[in-house]
Amino acid sequence: MRSIVRPLLCILALALAAGIGMAPADAAGPSLVGSGDSYFPEDGNGGIDVQAYKIADTYDFARGELSGHTTLTVRATQPLTAFDLDLLLPVSAVAIDGAAVAFERPDAHELRIIPSSTIARGRTFRVAVTYDGFPGTVCWDKECDWLADQHEVTTMNEPHMAAWWFPANDTPADAATMDISVTVPAAMKVIANGRQVSRTVAGALATTRWKARNPMAPYLAFFTAGDYTEAKGTRHGLPWLVAVSDQLPAATRASSMRLMKKTPAITAWLSRQLGKYPFETVGGVTTSLDPDFALENQTRPTYPVLRLERTTTVVHELAHQWFGDSVRLSQWRDVWLNEGFATFMEWYWTEKHGGPPAEEHLLDDHAQLSGSFWHTRVDAPGPAHLWDTPVYERGAMTLQALRTKVGDKTFWRILRGWAHVRAGRTATTAQFERYAAKVSHQDLGGFFSAWLDTPSRPAMTAANGLAPIG
Ligand SMILES: [Zn+2]
């Protein structure tokens, strides 16, 4: 995530489908609904691996209506008599490789597609979905994620966002390239992930197309449309583009742009700590809408209005480009691998820019935080507590305690190595624990157990990284 800015410590089924309705998954394969996330059982879908999304959406601000046509390039990971996608808008047509096929809606979240004949395992095919609806009226599993007013729309949320604006295999475990075209009034700008490749005006409307060539998790795909002022450049060969909403008051626009323009320098600093920046471009967008949090959309985080001194929030979202975006979750329960790491990089930035050392932050937190803070299991916070303070703060404490325990040099070998060896792949807490043990040549089982899976305050011991060693 999403770093919480305020108080941080922050259908319509085709009638002909009816008979085939409950087409079962291949008897030997996984179920159609869900990809096995223990917290969000309907997230993702069995039997498919999406390679690419080509999204073409039109948004009508006056009506709050989104109409779209998305083509997914999909590889079958099992023989498919049917498969699901995740989408919360009504669907009018589905085609596979250009031929219309049957579909149905088992529930508001699942779009079940029934090919005219079984798709063989290993085959790659294109599925095109046409949809139209009012995303601002849609809530799912207590999330009402559409963020828009009459002048601006910004798709940013976590753990879910895609299903409000395109059909997806909505799990961070399945990353794919994104090609995003959005049509809105021609006076507006559209900004999305990656690089803008075209803008075509047709009468009163304009279609702006963005492409991101590095695969991304569906929730990290975004677009914003509205009146924006942009700034762009290149630093160390890396193109950057930032933007601030013109809906904001002039003074706020100016300070927001100053903050956004710190993006290339912060990215360069993070690259020195963590290794090469993982993507083709970088940036940031300040929206006038009020999401109450910032989000690490791949290549281009989105921010609410922040005070100029909130540089650490920019550090946090950019650190996520390594931890969360490049190194992805396979299960949401491991979200501390994103949030603890991004929060630790805030602490380290502060240490290197005139603030207190991260070690002091760790010891102060350990002494001062009390009560329920220590009751959260960081490696399994529960689906309702993914964004609670302990996931961020105790997650960061875990890393600083590891730094104290194994020493600065070994610690940075672990962090940099982790970002490198897992780049573009999924990761779990158990994999991180094994990696840290391997690099440090230490048995870290007791250490990680005390910090991550014990619902109480770790004892003040050197073994827990809470006393200087050597
Ligand atoms: Zn975050």
Side-chain angles (χ1 to χ4, degrees), residues 86-110:
D86 305 322
L87 177 66
L88 291 166
L89 300 176
V91 169
S92 58
V94 180
I96 292 179
D97 292 335
V101 296
F103 64 93
E104 60 186 18
R105 305 304 297 260
D107 67 31
H109 182 263
E110 298 294 304

Side-chain angles (χ1 to χ4, degrees), residues 1 23 159 178 184 245 266 362 425 453:
M1 191 158 164
M178 292 286 166
V184 290
S245 171
I266 293 171
L362 165 66
R425 302 166 66 196
D453 63 23

